[in-house]
Amino acid sequence: MLEEIRQQPQALDRTLRSELKSIEKLKTKFAAKRPSSIILAARGTSDNAAQFGRYILEIATGIPVSLAAPSIFTLYGARVDYRDALVVAISQSGESTDTNLVLERGRECGAITIGITNEEESTLARIADHVFLVRAGSEKSVAATKTYTGQLLAMYMLAYALGAPVSLDELRALPDSVEGALTLESEIAEKTGRYRFMENAVVVGRGLNYANAFEWALKLMETSYVVAERFSSADFLHGPIAMVERSFPVFLFAPAGVTWPSIREMIERVHSLGAETLIVTDASNREAAAMKGTRSIILPAKLHRKDAVPEELYTPLPYIVPAQIFAACLAAEKGLNPDQPRALSKVTQTL
Amino acid sequence: MLEEIRQQPQALDRTLRSELKSIEKLKTKFAAKRPSSIILAARGTSDNAAQFGRYILEIATGIPVSLAAPSIFTLYGARVDYRDALVVAISQSGESTDTNLVLERGRECGAITIGITNEEESTLARIADHVFLVRAGSEKSVAATKTYTGQLLAMYMLAYALGAPVSLDELRALPDSVEGALTLESEIAEKTGRYRFMENAVVVGRGLNYANAFEWALKLMETSYVVAERFSSADFLHGPIAMVERSFPVFLFAPAGVTWPSIREMIERVHSLGAETLIVTDASNREAAAMKGTRSIILPAKLHRKDAVPEELYTPLPYIVPAQIFAACLAAEKGLNPDQPRALSKVTQTL
């Protein structure tokens, strides 16, 4: 798992270079005919990437996005009307029967379909009109890491193809930001000691980093068997905050920008309940980095962009990297093998 | 909380009678012009009702449904294009600033808007084109119960208005099914003793009962401070199942019909991992009721309908009632006050 985490800068660079041409083609196509809605279909880690896609696509393109519930097709055989939609299926293996079914329903309705996958020879790659290949190389650890960041990159490029103000130069800088995050490995490994006996945790993210809260929680559940709840700071206040106790750890993504005030408020609320926090932030959120009473992992890169919309647009991809390292190191600390979680296999077939 | 749980048959009956006329009017309106998509906006318990709406509306009408992420408007000021959509906001108090904003964005785009609320004089009731009043009476417990079932009923009626094959006679029978569930109160109270020292739990539901898994988990978190994870059986197999351990309780909704095979498989997987299960089912799922090795709460009503699409269409509303009773009784068993969870108040303002 750690090895695959370390491969991410190269994998992202490779994906960006090789997919750029077909993305420019898609851009021309969408300029001629803009879809009226976007449907994203995925499961597991890929579903967390879809959750990110949901935010970036709605915010940056204004096209309404829906996360498909694959069981609506597999169990209920529903005939949802996807005319004029763009249907995107995301799957590491490209062999998730249920997400592939959503794509096929899109084809039946005459929708444009895109498959995002790590496997060129997969069923998904064969049935989609357009294929976006995440060139992460073979992923052996059951806990997906480099395919997740590859899928996040695919979401940026899809937003770009749909005319969103996403800067290709900023995307080209992402492998470097990830490289910077990787330099924190030994610092993070040391920090995980404190959580050796942690059984529960809450992970909080907001807006563009909401998906990362799901992904961090999933990694903690898969590799370290921590019962990790994931919330947006808004939903957390609507009930679940009641369960927070002394010594209950809350992990938060804390970029500078529009989400920071609500994340800061959440940190203060949680501290007043006697619980402790660990935040992931970067050098440009000086207030977070200097905040008293919280533990923190601070990425060396300055990721805040005054001219980007939103300002924290380029934080989610580098921000997940310390979380991945944390999960891998915590598993080691607990004497577990993060590459072979009990009760799991790499390709999960669901119907 | 228990008192409000017991008021549900009367509340549902009242809501059904008083709203039927305006629903018929809406039906005529939608017959003339069918929306091309549906946006549902809500937070907390209301968001769980929206999750149910998402399934019933897509399955029964074929119109694509999207659950809005309110922060896209409140934090990012995104201008999502809701032309030709039906925008529905659901809020007990009608004063959730963020969900109201989604509705206002719908109005700006010329979309049809519907507000579903318990409060006739609320902001939501004022700004929506159509108001569906959940006539649950004043809800005093912070943990919402009768407004949730009222909102589920509203989702059925909305599906009916959109031309879905929802039977009004079956809706009229729901208060009786709920009455039947209420007869289990002392049996459930007795069962909760076993969970006095439970700190973690997983709640699983699939398809139409997926929303109920979120709602049961939320009630456990709010009233009993149990760290309760919620999943569909499909997503659960994609990772989180790794954290299941001996003595880790898994609660499942198990109606007869298309979701039963995957729920049965899940029960068997979880048992083979040494964990224990508690299922909510009804008299018509004889296989579930007779299943060995699982604990069960069996509703006396026969809720399976061979002629309904899907066959378990009328299970979600009565099925949540034993879960509500369970959460209230478990709080009592733990010596907590379910009406005043720590760190919570009734109206939560989020931006």
Side-chain angles (χ1 to χ4, degrees):
Chain A
M1 183 175 175
L2 267 175
E3 207 170 289
E4 290 178 347
I5 290 172
R6 293 186 198 117
Q7 291 165 3
Q8 291 180 107
Q10 292 72 39
L12 291 167
D13 190 54
R14 193 162 55 230
T15 303
L16 194 55
R17 283 172 199 277
S18 59
E19 295 301 310
L20 211 48
K21 215 187 250 174
S22 69
I23 284 297
E24 293 288 3
K25 250 197 242 166
L26 259 183
K27 193 175 181 185
T28 314
K29 184 168 177 162
F30 287 137
K33 190 178 186 267
R34 189 178 157 88
S36 67
S37 68
I38 302 171
I39 314 296
L40 301 175
R43 286 278 186 206
T45 290
S46 306
D47 197 33
N48 296 340
Q51 187 69 257
F52 169 70
R54 187 261 151 78
Y55 279 82
I56 189 173
L57 291 168
E58 280 200 345
I59 294 168
T61 72
I63 304 171
V65 178
S66 173
L67 297 176
S71 70
I72 283 175
F73 303 92
T74 54
L75 293 183
Y76 298 112
R79 308 197 59 76
V80 184
D81 183 355
Y82 284 157
R83 254 176 308 174
D84 306 321
L86 164 64
V87 178
V88 184
I90 313 174
S91 165
Q92 184 273 132
S93 68
E95 302 297 345
S96 294
T97 323
D98 50 358
T99 54
N100 287 349
L101 253 174
V102 179
L103 201 89
E104 277 173 359
R105 176 65 193 151
R107 287 177 65 99
E108 278 171 37
C109 295
I112 306 172
T113 60
I114 296 182
I116 298 175
T117 175
N118 197 38
E119 298 298 337
E120 198 160 2
E121 307 291 324
S122 61
T123 307
L124 177 55
R126 212 174 54 243
I127 61 175
D129 295 332
H130 302 270
V131 177
F132 184 104
L133 270 184
V134 173
R135 294 175 192 269
S138 162
E139 190 169 58
K140 291 193 181 106
S141 173
V142 173
T145 53
K146 59 182 181 174
T147 51
Y148 176 69
T149 47
Q151 289 164 351
L152 293 190
L153 179 62
M155 290 295 123
Y156 281 105
M157 293 174 83
L158 182 57
Y160 171 81
L162 286 161
V166 168
S167 150
L168 292 181
D169 282 341
E170 290 287 356
L171 296 189
R172 287 190 193 101
L174 285 174
D176 270 355
S177 310
V178 170
E179 201 73 76
L182 292 174
T183 64
L184 303 175
E185 187 181 319
S186 60
E187 180 192 327
I188 294 168
E190 213 169 286
K191 281 200 159 69
T192 54
R194 182 174 186 80
Y195 305 94
R196 165 63 179 87
F197 297 103
M198 168 176 77
E199 292 181 347
N200 299 310
V202 168
V203 190
V204 173
R206 188 106 205 251
L208 287 177
N209 276 288
Y210 180 49
N212 274 346
F214 277 72
E215 181 58 9
W216 195 354
L218 181 59
K219 295 300 102 145
L220 291 172
M221 289 190 271
E222 284 178 332
T223 67
S224 304
Y225 314 142
V226 170
V227 184
E229 296 274 359
R230 57 281 184 232
F231 297 101
S232 85
S233 49
D235 288 324
F236 192 54
L237 292 171
H238 275 265
I241 195 170
M243 72 183 173
V244 167
E245 281 178 7
R246 279 188 81 71
S247 86
F248 200 108
V250 180
F251 301 154
L252 307 97
F253 292 98
V258 290
T259 65
W260 171 235
S262 73
I263 293 291
R264 186 182 52 211
E265 190 201 329
M266 173 73 34
I267 295 170
E268 287 159 359
R269 277 287 290 278
V270 161
H271 286 179
S272 75
L273 296 170
E276 66 174 74
T277 56
L278 172 66
I279 63 173
V280 172
T281 186
D282 69 80
S284 45
N285 192 351
R286 275 182 290 182
E287 200 189 341
M291 200 165 177
K292 289 218 161 58
T294 184
R295 289 156 201 282
S296 50
I297 299 172
I298 304 168
L299 298 183
K302 291 198 171 182
L303 295 169
H304 185 250
R305 297 284 175 275
K306 268 237 160 78
D307 54 342
V309 182
E311 298 167 37
E312 81 275 22
L313 184 59
Y314 303 104
T315 60
L317 201 157
Y319 270 39
I320 197 61
V321 178
Q324 296 169 335
I325 298 172
F326 186 95
C329 294
L330 180 62
E333 196 76 49
K334 284 175 175 271
L336 304 166
N337 177 2
D339 295 330
Q340 277 305 341
R342 65 187 180 215
L344 282 184
S345 60
K346 186 72 185 163
V347 179
T348 310
Q349 296 285 3
T350 48
L351 269 177
Chain B
M1 183 175 174
L2 268 175
E3 206 171 291
E4 291 178 348
I5 289 172
R6 294 187 200 118
Q7 291 164 2
Q8 292 180 107
Q10 291 71 39
L12 291 166
D13 189 55
R14 192 164 54 230
T15 304
L16 195 56
R17 283 171 198 277
S18 58
E19 294 302 309
L20 211 49
K21 216 188 248 172
S22 69
I23 284 296
E24 294 286 3
K25 250 197 241 165
L26 260 182
K27 193 175 180 185
T28 313
K29 185 170 176 162
F30 287 138
K33 191 177 185 264
R34 190 178 156 89
S36 67
S37 68
I38 302 170
I39 315 295
L40 302 175
R43 287 276 189 208
T45 290
S46 306
D47 198 31
N48 297 341
Q51 186 68 257
F52 169 70
R54 187 264 152 76
Y55 279 83
I56 190 175
L57 292 168
E58 280 200 344
I59 293 168
T61 72
I63 304 170
V65 178
S66 173
L67 297 175
S71 69
I72 283 176
F73 302 91
T74 54
L75 293 182
Y76 298 113
R79 307 198 59 73
V80 184
D81 183 355
Y82 284 156
R83 252 178 308 173
D84 305 322
L86 164 64
V87 178
V88 183
I90 312 173
S91 165
Q92 183 273 131
S93 68
E95 301 299 342
S96 294
T97 323
D98 49 0
T99 53
N100 286 349
L101 253 173
V102 178
L103 201 88
E104 277 174 359
R105 177 65 192 149
R107 287 177 65 99
E108 277 171 39
C109 295
I112 306 171
T113 60
I114 296 181
I116 297 174
T117 176
N118 197 38
E119 297 296 338
E120 197 160 3
E121 306 292 322
S122 61
T123 307
L124 177 54
R126 213 176 51 244
I127 62 176
D129 295 332
H130 302 270
V131 177
F132 184 104
L133 271 184
V134 173
R135 297 177 189 267
S138 163
E139 190 171 57
K140 290 193 181 108
S141 174
V142 172
T145 54
K146 59 182 180 174
T147 52
Y148 176 69
T149 47
Q151 289 164 350
L152 293 189
L153 179 62
M155 291 295 124
Y156 281 105
M157 292 174 85
L158 182 56
Y160 171 80
L162 285 159
V166 167
S167 148
L168 293 181
D169 282 340
E170 290 287 354
L171 296 189
R172 286 189 193 103
L174 285 174
D176 269 354
S177 311
V178 169
E179 200 72 76
L182 292 175
T183 64
L184 304 174
E185 188 182 318
S186 61
E187 180 194 327
I188 295 169
E190 212 168 286
K191 280 199 160 67
T192 54
R194 182 174 187 81
Y195 306 95
R196 165 65 179 86
F197 297 104
M198 169 176 75
E199 290 182 347
N200 300 310
V202 168
V203 189
V204 173
R206 189 104 205 255
L208 287 176
N209 276 288
Y210 180 48
N212 274 347
F214 277 72
E215 180 58 10
W216 194 353
L218 181 59
K219 292 303 102 146
L220 290 173
M221 291 189 270
E222 285 178 332
T223 67
S224 304
Y225 315 141
V226 170
V227 184
E229 296 274 1
R230 59 279 182 230
F231 297 102
S232 85
S233 50
D235 288 324
F236 192 54
L237 291 170
H238 276 263
I241 195 170
M243 73 185 175
V244 168
E245 281 178 6
R246 278 187 82 70
S247 86
F248 199 107
V250 180
F251 300 154
L252 307 97
F253 291 98
V258 291
T259 65
W260 171 236
S262 73
I263 293 291
R264 186 183 52 210
E265 190 200 329
M266 173 73 32
I267 295 171
E268 286 159 0
R269 278 286 291 279
V270 161
H271 286 179
S272 75
L273 296 169
E276 65 173 74
T277 55
L278 171 67
I279 64 174
V280 172
T281 187
D282 69 78
S284 45
N285 192 352
R286 274 182 289 180
E287 201 188 343
M291 201 168 177
K292 288 219 161 56
T294 185
R295 285 156 205 283
S296 49
I297 299 172
I298 305 168
L299 298 184
K302 291 199 173 183
L303 295 169
H304 184 252
R305 295 285 176 272
K306 268 236 158 79
D307 53 342
V309 182
E311 298 167 36
E312 81 275 22
L313 184 59
Y314 303 105
T315 61
L317 200 156
Y319 270 40
I320 197 60
V321 178
Q324 296 169 336
I325 298 172
F326 185 95
C329 293
L330 181 62
E333 195 78 50
K334 285 175 175 271
L336 304 165
N337 177 1
D339 295 330
Q340 277 303 341
R342 61 186 184 219
L344 284 183
S345 60
K346 186 72 187 164
V347 180
T348 311
Q349 294 285 3
T350 48
L351 270 174

